[in-house]
Amino acid sequence: MDPITNPFSPGAGAPPPELAGRDELREKVRVVLERIRRGLSSKSMLMIGLRGVGKTVLLDRMRNDAEKTGIHTLRIEAPEKRSLPAMLAPELRQALLRLSRIEQVKNFA
């Protein structure tokens, strides 16, 4: 393909004009999330790939898909020199506060 007109342009989390060839993986994630919603078990998934191939963009799209169905998500980036508890604690606190507000609104209604 002509490198000048090629729409693929690797960049840190920059969404491409088209997310092509990822429908099968997105469907697998949709099935996993729906199984979890129903209290059923499912296999974990691990995405690996070179820098710039679209992992972050794909994860963001999957996260948006999940949020559209009412599943609450967190987006956490994990720098190598930061401890896991230090990264998770504030994000989980925010998630619990958000869920608590939703429950309060349900009780109020």
Side-chain angles (χ1 to χ4, degrees):
M1 176 175 260
D2 177 19
I4 295 172
T5 60
N6 185 348
F8 175 69
S9 155
E18 175 67 30
L19 189 60
R22 303 293 191 210
D23 292 340
E24 184 178 332
L25 183 55
R26 289 175 66 198
E27 175 61 13
K28 285 180 182 178
V29 170
R30 187 193 69 75
V31 168
V32 165
L33 292 174
E34 193 55 40
R35 286 183 59 83
I36 292 168
R37 182 196 307 269
R38 294 172 186 215
L40 302 170
S41 63
S42 191
K43 290 184 178 181
S44 299
M45 298 176 78
L46 178 65
M47 290 192 340
I48 59 172
L50 296 173
R51 185 178 187 153
V53 297
K55 298 178 301 294
T56 300
V57 170
L58 185 56
L59 285 169
D60 284 341
R61 184 68 58 91
M62 291 174 185
R63 184 172 155 256
N64 289 338
D65 292 346
E67 291 277 348
K68 286 178 187 173
T69 68
I71 295 173
H72 298 276
T73 66
L74 296 173
R75 185 182 199 280
I76 302 172
E77 293 202 24
E80 289 182 30
K81 298 190 186 222
R82 194 154 175 220
S83 76
L84 185 60
M87 289 183 293
L88 289 179
E91 296 297 330
L92 291 173
R93 181 179 180 278
Q94 289 298 322
L96 290 172
L97 288 172
R98 185 170 62 188
L99 291 171
S100 175
R101 281 190 289 259
I102 291 169
E103 194 59 36
Q104 288 173 357
V105 168
K106 283 182 187 177
N107 290 337
F108 181 73

